[in-house]
Amino acid sequence: MADTNLPNYPSKGGRKKLDEEWLQALHRQGLAAFISDVISTPAELERAIAEFNQGQFWHCHETLEAIWLPEKYPLRLFYHGLIKAAVGLLHLERRNRHGALVKLGDATYTLAPFSPQFMDADIADLIKVVEHRLVCLEPGSDTDWLAVENLPAVQLQILA
């Protein structure tokens, strides 16, 4: 296990800073430095993935939030990354380019330490699909919303 003095849970008002410190540590040292045990997939995550795959991004966000809030680091970042992906895709559906760019970009950065696979979910594929959408939304170019809307639905694949 990594030798870190990072708290396992954010203090009131300190979540964003602690999230970034944990993400830097995960990107630098890798997930295996912090998690050595096999983690079972909670039923709520299975429900959230089903909602995600059905395009019910708001419901997915709500389901994930219930397991994200009480969770300790670094696992809470996995759930938060999935929340950001769901919220980004909801912004994309609503043609909110800025919101989609921000949340989908945050999702790829947050989920990267959990790639290629975590809790039987194909995170590498999710990141690849999200990054393709980010290219379609690049700043400085006109967004072809019809082309974006005609892309295949984003699916979070389960590898079991």
Side-chain angles (χ1 to χ4, degrees):
M1 293 295 255
D3 181 29
T4 180
N5 293 327
L6 293 173
N8 287 328
Y9 197 79
S11 62
K12 191 167 186 137
R15 184 188 57 81
K16 285 186 179 186
K17 182 177 185 245
L18 189 55
D19 279 3
E20 187 53 40
E21 289 173 2
W22 266 100
L23 282 167
Q24 287 174 7
L26 286 168
H27 279 270
R28 199 172 43 249
Q29 298 174 46
L31 184 62
F34 300 95
I35 297 177
S36 59
D37 300 329
V38 174
I39 298 171
S40 59
T41 304
E44 295 90 349
L45 178 59
E46 292 175 3
R47 179 174 152 211
I49 290 171
E51 292 166 340
F52 186 99
N53 289 343
Q54 294 166 7
Q56 298 175 1
F57 300 120
W58 179 255
H59 294 292
C60 173
H61 163 273
E62 292 295 307
T63 301
L64 287 168
E65 194 170 72
I67 52 178
W68 164 66
L69 285 172
E71 188 58 66
K72 294 179 182 176
Y73 290 101
L75 188 54
R76 72 181 280 120
L77 291 169
F78 174 69
Y79 297 129
H80 200 204
L82 294 177
I83 289 170
K84 289 176 180 186
V87 171
L89 291 167
L90 182 62
H91 282 302
L92 194 62
E93 276 184 354
R94 295 177 177 175
R95 293 188 174 193
N96 176 350
R97 183 174 172 209
H98 176 74
L101 277 168
V102 170
K103 293 302 176 187
L104 293 175
D106 286 351
T108 61
Y109 178 70
T110 303
L111 290 171
F114 300 93
S115 184
Q117 171 181 343
F118 190 72
M119 285 193 190
D120 297 327
D122 189 346
I123 302 305
D125 183 66
L126 177 61
I127 290 171
K128 183 180 90 175
V129 170
V130 166
E131 285 176 340
H132 179 70
R133 278 155 177 77
L134 287 169
V135 168
C136 294
L137 298 172
E138 276 186 0
S141 65
D142 289 331
T143 301
D144 182 350
W145 288 108
L146 189 57
V148 171
E149 291 164 357
N150 285 323
L151 290 170
V154 178
Q155 297 288 291
L156 182 52
Q157 303 298 322
I158 300 303
L159 307 167

